[in-house]
Amino acid sequence: MKYMFKKIEPKWQAKWEESKVFEAKDNSDKPKFYGLVEFPYPSGAGMHVGHIKAYSSLEVISRKRRMEGYNVLFPIGFDAFGLPTENYAVKTGTHPRIITDENIKKFSNQLKKVGFSFDWNRVIDTTDEDYYKWTQWIFLKMFEKGLVFRDRTLVNYCPHCKVVLSNEDSQGGKCDICHSEVVQKSKDVWYLRITQYADKLLEGLKDVDYPDNVKQQQVHWIGKSKGAFVNFDIDGIDEKLEIYTTRPDTLFGVTFMVIAPEHPIIDKYKDKVTNMDEITAYRNECAKKTEFERTQLVKDKTGVCIQGLEGINPVNGKKIPIYIADYVMMGYGTGAIMAVPAHDQRDYDFAKKFGIDIIEVIKGGDISKEAYTGDGEMINSDFLNGYTKKKDSIERMLEELEKKGIGKAGVQYKMKDWAFNRQRYWGEPIPLIHCPNCGVVAVPEEELPLRLPDVKDFEPGEDGQSPLAKIDSFVNCTCPKCGAAAKRETDTMPQWAGSSWYFLRYTDPHNTQALADMDKLKYWMPVDWYNGGMEHVTRHMIYSRFWHHFLYDLGVVNTPEPYAKRSIQGLILGPDGDKMSKSKGNVVDPLDIVEEYGADTLRTYVLFMGDYGAATPWSDSSVKGCKKFLDRVAGLTDILSEEPVSDELEMKIHRTIKKVSSDIESLKFNTAIASLMTLINEITAEGHIGKEDLGIFIKLLSPFAPHLCEEIWEFLGGEGLLAVAPWPVHDEGKTVSKTVEIGVQVNGKVRGTIVIPNGCEKEKAFEIAKADERIASFLEGKNLIKEIYVPNKIVNFVAK
Ligand code: ANZ
Ligand code: ZN
């Protein structure tokens, strides 16, 4: 048969849809498999080849699982709130609802054209009010449990997008959305207390199967640090300055202190400070810098010595100067540090610049050149002198500090609480009310969903207020507690809200009573395998693990961890090896490939192109190669024969079953496809193939190229749909060759080779060897002294 993809692809897509073969069953006795891919943001640009690669791994695994007899949940949905749609709405005056619906339609059609085996009956749209009702519900539960709080703080603000950004969304001092420069701005911010779950998020990593680098990134992001809080007296004032340090063992080496420019102690004692003007000027300079700039390890440190305040080192009573400097952050630890220039490079650079003493307390380095951060013998440190292990000196110092009541052990996290509001329209309204009498009050649960009001103008207010603030009918309400006239919160939730629990909704997408029914959750959760990008390993995965742990504590879900296993796809680069981007003009449209070569070719190619986890450049010629391979597969139907295949080919078929089955499980799709390509060469060389063996071949290929394989299956008269036909199982006995070729030595020299039955007895091997003419000639006229046989390897005769 000819590979007529234009004809067969729509045909099988229609059959799959009609037969509901990809719909997951809720009440099934079969074992379950829940495969999850990161649902797309339905942008106007439509699908990218990167989406195809990202979904193809679990597409292949889900298809294999169905054939192995599992009840498979492989869902898709749309993470549809967010800025690009809103910016487009502002630009065109079209309502985001309309834009979103159009984009979702476009995406769905594209996904269907590629033949993904998603359960289209469970599609989720995070902007659907029946969905975001539950996003708001979870938020209210967090509010109820004290995990929501409001604080006025300096925030990362993008003047272009007019939104507050979390640290993660403004890495490198640039807005994650529009890449403009981020500025610092004082704002009221709603926070989710994710730090309260820091330890659970760390602990939970022990129970999940994530790649090591994924775990490491999460551990690093959480950034747990063990150290000590120590109180320093301020000379002449009844006030303590508390610092956080990871190195209390170096306390005798402290020669100054540094506080963050925003530290409140300055204003509290401004009457005592004699250089307030200089300090104010410095603080104004600092306010212009982003946190990113401030944490860079630049040698040239800046700062101002506070005249009029002096600290006292609690372990030796020495007076030390206090500086303000921007390398100390207000948001970490206590916003104040004890500086040990001999053993901390930042402090060292600072001390050199400001001419401050450097006291060595750990032997081993050369402090005339740089700070020494290694281990060594303690010196100049009173009761710590002679200690050689950091761990022991820290322990001894902590004991001392606790005994004297001047310090205690403590932990800190790099992770900050999650800034959870945006001043934008296209997001979930935050269901809170500001009442003049009662303060902040929750919208009653039965009033959920709190719907987004219809507006005409999506432009945020110039003062950085949400567009919702301009809608009086939305803002004005009555307090649910006391009935007084009150005002609604007008900020909306960040992009990351809807994706923090979507995998739960797939288990029961139409439920109106709960976010999902407990029995269904118990059947489907946890997600067995979640594939996605490295860029979502911190933000999205940490946020969703946090929500899931919270829901677990609430008793709403049945497992603490949502994802049992995680894998990562590598990027698809442009043909030139650069990142694909519109501006570079090297973007490949997947639909163009479907149009020209067929969906099966596209699917096969994105998994054949290289290591699944690696970044790989696009290659048109390799796409064509995949197309040719599928042409040859179609051609196998022309050499069908009842003649049995050779033992050799049978062995290769069984070896291929074994290899494809195991390669798929370890995401080695490229080698799985390559082994099918090799097998087709073997079949072609043989010249014919039986129905049953061709059936095996297309079963193995079907997760990659399902349309063509269904077509061949039908041609062969296969029963039902190939999509649920049983996956082939190899016979281990048939994977080994029936014969082996081995060398024969006479007196230690190889004199020839013989073919013996695989694993044959030694007497038989000797018999075959002696019968070999060449070998016999070497033995002629000699006495055999010894016969040696290493099974399947070698025969050696010793003769004189
Ligand atoms: C004295 C010291 C001596 C320190 C030494 C280090 C080495 P991690 O591991 O990241 O938690 N620090 C504390 N609070 C800070 C802040 N708000 N801004 C900037 N730096 C801060 O780092 C903790 C260390 O970073 C602390 O330990 C403190 O310097 C500094 F040989 O104290 B250390
Ligand atoms: Zn009230």
Side-chain angles (χ1 to χ4, degrees), residues 203-372:
E203 283 296 305
L205 289 175
K206 297 201 176 88
D207 306 323
V208 293
D209 176 11
Y210 298 173
D212 282 344
N213 59 340
V214 168
K215 284 193 183 182
Q216 269 165 24
Q217 272 208 15
Q218 296 202 356
V219 167
H220 183 78
W221 194 84
I222 295 164
K224 184 171 184 170
S225 143
K226 282 190 193 141
F229 291 94
V230 184
N231 284 312
F232 281 63
D233 278 322
I234 298 180
D235 194 28
I237 301 177
D238 186 20
E239 170 86 42
K240 304 219 187 292
L241 184 51
E242 188 183 41
I243 61 97
Y244 176 70
T245 178
T246 45
R247 298 296 304 273
D249 54 320
T250 61
L251 251 162
F252 287 97
V254 174
T255 54
F256 60 105
M257 299 178 81
V258 184
I259 62 175
E262 306 83 6
H263 201 289
I265 200 159
I266 306 176
D267 292 313
K268 195 166 170 192
Y269 294 103
K270 60 171 172 263
D271 300 344
K272 301 230 174 230
V273 177
T274 57
N275 60 340
M276 251 344 255
D277 289 350
E278 194 187 353
I279 288 171
T280 306
Y282 181 69
R283 289 169 121 188
N284 289 340
E285 279 307 304
C286 297
K288 290 184 201 145
K289 290 195 195 169
T290 61
E291 180 162 334
F292 176 77
E293 288 170 318
R294 287 176 51 179
T295 47
Q296 293 305 291
L297 283 173
V298 284
K299 287 258 171 222
D300 191 22
K301 295 269 178 292
T302 62
V304 174
C305 184
I306 303 171
Q307 309 290 344
L309 296 182
E310 253 183 325
I312 298 174
N313 187 337
V315 290
N316 57 15
K318 271 195 195 159
K319 286 189 194 164
I320 46 177
I322 307 173
Y323 287 77
I324 66 167
D326 64 4
Y327 77 95
V328 173
M329 301 297 136
M330 197 56 223
Y332 188 67
T334 62
I337 67 161
M338 61 180 223
V340 186
H343 305 290
D344 181 292
Q345 192 59 38
R346 295 164 302 177
D347 299 344
Y348 185 89
D349 296 336
F350 193 89
K352 280 280 176 203
K353 174 153 179 187
F354 289 86
I356 309 167
D357 287 350
I358 298 177
I359 298 176
E360 185 177 32
V361 290
I362 303 166
K363 263 187 136 142
D366 176 3
I367 60 159
S368 67
K369 289 200 183 74
E370 59 183 1
Y372 176 64

Side-chain angles (χ1 to χ4, degrees), residues 172-234:
K174 298 252 190 301
C175 168
D176 202 40
I177 303 150
C178 74
H179 309 291
S180 357
E181 211 60 52
V182 167
V183 298
Q184 302 293 298
K185 194 171 169 150
S186 168
K187 256 208 168 317
D188 273 331
V189 174
W190 286 107
Y191 287 98
L192 296 189
R193 237 183 259 285
I194 188 172
T195 49
Q196 200 163 307
Y197 277 77
D199 278 326
K200 284 190 177 180
L201 291 172
L202 276 178
E203 283 296 305
L205 289 175
K206 297 201 176 88
D207 306 323
V208 293
D209 176 11
Y210 298 173
D212 282 344
N213 59 340
V214 168
K215 284 193 183 182
Q216 269 165 24
Q217 272 208 15
Q218 296 202 356
V219 167
H220 183 78
W221 194 84
I222 295 164
K224 184 171 184 170
S225 143
K226 282 190 193 141
F229 291 94
V230 184
N231 284 312
F232 281 63
D233 278 322
I234 298 180

Side-chain angles (χ1 to χ4, degrees), residues 530-764:
Y530 190 14
N531 184 77
M534 206 61 203
E535 71 277 17
H536 291 139
V537 158
T538 46
R539 289 173 289 182
H540 159 63
M541 276 188 82
I542 299 248
Y543 293 152
S544 56
R545 290 183 56 222
F546 160 47
W547 279 39
H548 200 265
H549 272 275
F550 168 73
L551 291 172
Y552 179 70
D553 289 345
L554 208 63
V556 175
V557 299
N558 58 308
T559 60
E561 285 292 333
Y563 318 122
K565 178 178 173 131
R566 169 77 180 191
S567 58
I568 305 281
Q569 78 273 351
L571 287 176
I572 298 184
L573 305 172
D576 42 14
D578 287 339
K579 208 178 158 184
M580 273 193 193
S581 79
K582 256 200 217 146
S583 59
K584 289 203 189 97
N586 61 355
V587 177
V588 177
D589 182 340
L591 271 291
D592 288 348
I593 306 296
V594 171
E595 191 57 31
E596 202 175 338
Y597 302 101
D600 284 340
T601 301
L602 172 68
R603 298 169 55 117
T604 305
Y605 171 65
V606 296
L607 292 180
F608 180 62
M609 68 191 302
D611 215 3
Y612 188 66
T616 313
W618 184 268
S619 154
D620 284 327
S621 66
S622 184
V623 174
K624 286 183 192 139
C626 288
K627 165 71 167 44
K628 278 209 191 100
F629 165 60
L630 297 182
D631 285 335
R632 293 180 71 197
V633 173
L636 289 176
T637 55
D638 303 331
I639 55 164
L640 275 177
S641 147
E642 304 209 338
E643 195 186 321
V645 295
S646 64
D647 286 349
E648 187 70 10
L649 184 56
E650 191 183 26
M651 175 191 79
K652 285 181 173 146
I653 290 171
H654 280 270
R655 284 186 177 174
T656 309
I657 298 174
K658 185 175 177 181
K659 178 153 178 66
V660 172
S661 304
S662 76
D663 278 1
I664 287 178
E665 293 304 318
S666 45
L667 301 180
K668 290 187 202 141
F669 305 115
N670 52 340
T671 54
I673 296 166
S675 67
L676 287 165
M677 290 175 170
T678 310
L679 184 58
I680 206 168
N681 289 340
E682 311 280 352
I683 296 170
T684 316
E686 180 105 351
H688 59 90
I689 186 169
K691 260 189 179 183
E692 204 177 320
D693 286 339
L694 180 54
I696 290 175
F697 186 94
I698 59 167
K699 280 179 178 177
L700 296 177
L701 180 64
S702 66
F704 304 98
H707 308 86
L708 172 61
C709 294
E710 288 279 10
E711 185 70 17
I712 299 177
W713 183 245
E714 188 185 58
F715 174 87
L716 293 176
E719 206 188 308
L721 286 168
L722 180 61
V724 284
W727 185 255
V729 184
H730 74 277
D731 178 339
E732 188 66 38
K734 288 185 177 160
T735 61
V736 288
S737 177
K738 291 194 174 151
T739 58
V740 286
E741 200 180 40
I742 65 170
V744 182
Q745 295 180 344
V746 178
N747 293 335
K749 277 205 178 109
V750 179
R751 297 300 187 183
T753 58
I754 53 168
V755 175
I756 59 165
N758 190 352
C760 84
E761 294 290 315
K762 68 177 176 189
E763 292 312 327
K764 177 89 188 160

Side-chain angles (χ1 to χ4, degrees), residues 295-542:
T295 47
Q296 293 305 291
L297 283 173
V298 284
K299 287 258 171 222
D300 191 22
K301 295 269 178 292
T302 62
V304 174
C305 184
I306 303 171
Q307 309 290 344
L309 296 182
E310 253 183 325
I312 298 174
N313 187 337
V315 290
N316 57 15
K318 271 195 195 159
K319 286 189 194 164
I320 46 177
I322 307 173
Y323 287 77
I324 66 167
D326 64 4
Y327 77 95
V328 173
M329 301 297 136
M330 197 56 223
Y332 188 67
T334 62
I337 67 161
M338 61 180 223
V340 186
H343 305 290
D344 181 292
Q345 192 59 38
R346 295 164 302 177
D347 299 344
Y348 185 89
D349 296 336
F350 193 89
K352 280 280 176 203
K353 174 153 179 187
F354 289 86
I356 309 167
D357 287 350
I358 298 177
I359 298 176
E360 185 177 32
V361 290
I362 303 166
K363 263 187 136 142
D366 176 3
I367 60 159
S368 67
K369 289 200 183 74
E370 59 183 1
Y372 176 64
T373 55
D375 246 343
E377 189 191 331
M378 299 295 301
I379 50 170
N380 300 327
S381 294
D382 196 336
F383 56 88
L384 285 184
N385 285 340
Y387 277 70
T388 52
K389 290 209 184 76
K390 188 166 97 178
K391 193 174 149 279
D392 297 337
S393 2
I394 289 179
E395 202 176 298
R396 173 73 184 86
M397 179 58 89
L398 278 173
E399 204 180 283
E400 191 75 12
L401 294 174
E402 272 164 26
K403 197 172 73 195
K404 294 201 174 133
I406 47 182
K408 57 181 190 301
V411 293
Q412 276 299 296
Y413 300 93
K414 285 273 144 54
M415 182 170 74
K416 306 254 171 80
D417 281 320
W418 176 8
F420 199 71
N421 52 330
R422 301 290 183 266
Q423 294 71 41
R424 299 302 301 232
Y425 174 73
W426 198 229
E428 302 86 348
I430 291 179
L432 294 177
I433 289 167
H434 301 269
C435 167
N437 307 323
C438 315
V440 178
V441 183
V443 168
E445 233 173 75
E446 54 286 3
E447 285 178 24
L448 298 182
L450 172 60
R451 292 183 181 82
L452 268 174
D454 214 353
V455 303
K456 295 267 160 335
D457 175 14
F458 311 103
E459 193 85 52
E462 266 319 307
D463 46 356
Q465 271 199 324
S466 155
L468 296 182
K470 295 186 251 178
I471 317 288
D472 289 341
S473 57
F474 176 79
V475 175
N476 296 321
C477 62
T478 51
C479 170
K481 260 195 195 154
C482 72
K487 295 204 183 297
R488 283 191 197 284
E489 172 61 53
T490 57
D491 284 357
T492 52
M493 298 186 196
Q495 168 87 68
W496 307 104
S499 58
S500 289
W501 72 281
Y502 75 112
F503 44 90
L504 297 173
R505 190 66 176 172
Y506 283 138
T507 68
D508 193 10
H510 311 295
N511 196 325
T512 54
Q513 304 306 307
L515 58 85
D517 177 76
M518 191 48 139
D519 285 338
K520 291 181 181 166
L521 289 169
K522 277 186 181 154
Y523 178 72
W524 288 114
M525 289 297 290
V527 171
D528 294 287
W529 195 332
Y530 190 14
N531 184 77
M534 206 61 203
E535 71 277 17
H536 291 139
V537 158
T538 46
R539 289 173 289 182
H540 159 63
M541 276 188 82
I542 299 248

